[in-house]
Each structure stands twice: as C-alpha cells, then as structure tokens.
Amino acid sequence: MHPGLLVLGGFLLGTAGVKAACSRPAHRAYVRTTVWGLQAKDYVERVVDEAKAQCDDIMAEAQYVKTVEDAERDADEVIIGQTVVEDEDGDVTVAEETVVEEKE
C-alpha cells in the first residue's frame, strides 16, 4: 500500500472523528456522562457527611461516658484529713490522706 494513501486515510478518519465528536448525539452523550458524574459526586459527599456525623456522635458519647466514669471514681475516694505544711522558704504544701472505698 502506498504511504500517501495511509496519510490521506488517517487525515480523513481524523476529520470524520472530529466531526462526529462535535455532533449533536455526541454532545448529548457528553452531557449525560457529566450528569452521572455529578450525581455520583453528590452521593459520595452525602455518604461522607453521614459518616462524619456518626463519628461525632460516637466521640460525644464516649466523652460523656468517660466523664461519668471519672466522676464515679472520684466519688469513691474519701478524704480523711488534710495537712498544710509551710517550708522555711514560704512554700505551702497540702498533704491529703485518702481512702478508696471498694464497690460491692
């Protein structure tokens, strides 16, 4: 086959391809594909927002449970007495004597 014919065939095929890419049906296909892409993007964003909301709920509940448990643990400690000691330098030290009550 003659190389000039190959070049001419490639040119014609390229021209026809550009013409087909600019046609009305091709334009509609590009628009529909873009719409599907935008719908997929919106869906993914909604799923991510829901996951973030669930994580925030879990963190808030965990912080609440930790606060309650810390308060219960602190309530179990009974201060028997306090001793205030002052050094020669004027530093004040507070010594507490505590007893932890066992839960039954």
Side-chain angles (χ1 to χ4, degrees):
M1 190 176 249
H2 192 271
L5 290 177
L6 288 176
V7 170
L8 181 63
F11 176 76
L12 290 175
L13 186 60
T15 304
V18 168
K19 201 68 154 160
C22 295
S23 69
R24 188 74 183 148
H27 179 76
R28 286 188 200 131
Y30 303 149
V31 170
R32 289 305 315 159
T33 303
T34 305
V35 168
W36 291 336
L38 291 173
Q39 288 172 344
K41 176 184 165 259
D42 289 342
Y43 175 77
V44 169
E45 286 177 349
R46 189 173 59 242
V47 168
V48 168
D49 288 341
E50 289 175 7
K52 284 181 183 178
Q54 288 178 1
C55 288
D56 290 343
D57 290 345
I58 290 170
M59 284 299 297
E61 188 174 346
Q63 288 174 344
Y64 174 76
V65 168
K66 181 182 178 299
T67 303
V68 168
E69 288 176 352
D70 288 346
E72 287 176 355
R73 187 174 41 253
D74 290 344
D76 290 342
E77 293 182 1
V78 178
I79 298 175
I80 294 176
Q82 283 185 335
T83 308
V84 179
V85 180
E86 187 173 342
D87 297 9
E88 320 154 335
D89 300 332
D91 295 334
V92 176
T93 305
V94 177
E96 292 181 348
E97 195 174 325
T98 60
V99 173
V100 178
E101 294 179 355
E102 295 293 325
K103 288 186 178 179
E104 294 181 16

